[in-house]
Amino acid sequence: MERFKKGVRHRKNFLSLQQYILMEKISIRDIMSENPVMINKKASVLDAAKEMKSEMVGSIIVVEDGVPIGILTESDILRKIVAEEKDASKVAVEEVMSSPAITVSPDAGIEEAVKIMGKHKIRRLPVVENGKLVGMVTERDLMQVSPLLMDIIEEWAEINRQRLEYKKEKKYMVGKCEECGMLSQRLINVNGRLLCESCAEVVG
């Protein structure tokens, strides 16, 4: 069976055609958690921490009029409240949340979520439809589809890093052609898009 090369740092790992097709067909709606835990931006960090403990989650989505504007994680609380010796009951969630909220559509494919997580180096994505919060998808949700997706998330993070380097150094890139969708070791920047040599010749 034909296999697609996955590697930037993991060049010896491969994603099978069957798994690739599966990833293309499954949408975020199919794997997201509905009714995600959320809290108003004006609530105290203490209230948020209690809610997170009650729901046994490591993060909580911060909303304003039902629209996600940020996310509060255990790490945020440790770094910005505990380490700073602040009173969690007197600090509003909006003061320490991570923002803006990076979201994804429920109709988006898994590949898009993987790209977003890799680009922003995050593990959770609020799912928004028509401006309203409808769910949450996490790195764990993606890995339940295929453990190999963890490597893909890391790969997209590396590709994004290389994109920035490419602007400084004229060199070939490894990744997915933005025209034909095939993975290539020789991508070329053509008008801000990374294309394989074949597509670059046609577009150019």
Side-chain angles (χ1 to χ4, degrees):
M1 178 183 292
E2 181 182 359
R3 293 178 180 271
F4 291 92
K5 196 166 187 180
K6 287 174 58 257
V8 170
R9 287 175 297 176
H10 305 279
R11 295 188 179 184
K12 293 184 179 180
N13 294 330
F14 293 89
L15 181 65
S16 71
L17 176 60
Q18 183 178 18
Q19 289 168 318
Y20 185 84
I21 292 174
L22 176 64
M23 191 172 76
E24 289 284 304
K25 289 184 176 180
I26 297 177
S27 71
I28 295 303
R29 193 186 303 275
D30 296 324
I31 64 172
M32 71 180 190
S33 299
E34 297 181 346
N35 303 315
V37 184
M38 65 183 82
I39 196 164
N40 186 275
K41 68 174 186 177
K42 295 297 183 181
S44 71
V45 174
L46 179 60
D47 288 337
K50 289 180 178 179
E51 185 69 13
M52 290 164 64
K53 179 181 179 181
S54 174
E55 297 293 334
M56 294 185 291
V57 294
S59 65
I60 190 167
I61 300 173
V62 184
V63 299
E64 180 178 20
D65 297 326
V67 178
I69 60 172
I71 189 167
L72 182 70
T73 67
E74 292 174 333
S75 177
D76 291 325
I77 296 175
L78 287 173
R79 291 186 297 104
K80 301 173 183 178
I81 299 296
V82 178
E84 297 293 331
E85 298 183 350
K86 294 182 179 179
D87 186 344
S89 66
K90 296 180 180 179
V91 180
V93 169
E94 64 180 334
E95 296 178 42
V96 294
M97 68 182 183
S98 297
S99 63
I102 307 300
T103 65
V104 68
S105 164
D107 297 319
I110 290 179
E111 183 181 13
E112 182 175 344
V114 168
K115 287 182 182 180
I116 295 173
M117 287 185 180
K119 178 179 180 180
H120 297 281
K121 298 181 180 179
I122 55 179
R123 297 182 177 183
R124 308 170 182 87
L125 285 174
V127 184
V128 175
E129 185 173 33
N130 298 323
K132 295 296 183 180
L133 181 67
V134 296
M136 168 81 93
V137 64
T138 67
E139 188 176 80
R140 179 178 296 181
D141 295 327
L142 297 177
M143 290 182 66
Q144 287 180 345
V145 177
S146 171
L148 289 176
L149 288 176
M150 181 63 182
D151 286 338
I152 301 175
I153 291 174
E154 293 179 356
E155 177 184 336
W156 279 113
E158 176 67 10
I159 290 174
N160 186 64
R161 183 189 66 78
Q162 288 191 12
R163 284 176 184 268
L164 297 178
E165 289 184 355
Y166 181 83
K167 294 179 180 179
K168 299 178 181 179
E169 303 176 19
K170 299 296 183 180
K171 62 181 182 180
Y172 286 109
M173 292 277 295
V174 177
K176 186 174 181 180
C177 174
E178 296 180 24
E179 181 69 22
C180 68
M182 297 299 293
L183 295 180
S184 171
Q185 297 184 57
R186 297 174 67 84
L187 295 178
I188 303 170
N189 189 320
V190 179
N191 298 324
R193 301 174 66 206
L194 291 178
L195 308 179
C196 65
E197 291 181 315
S198 297
C199 290
E201 291 180 3
V202 175
V203 174

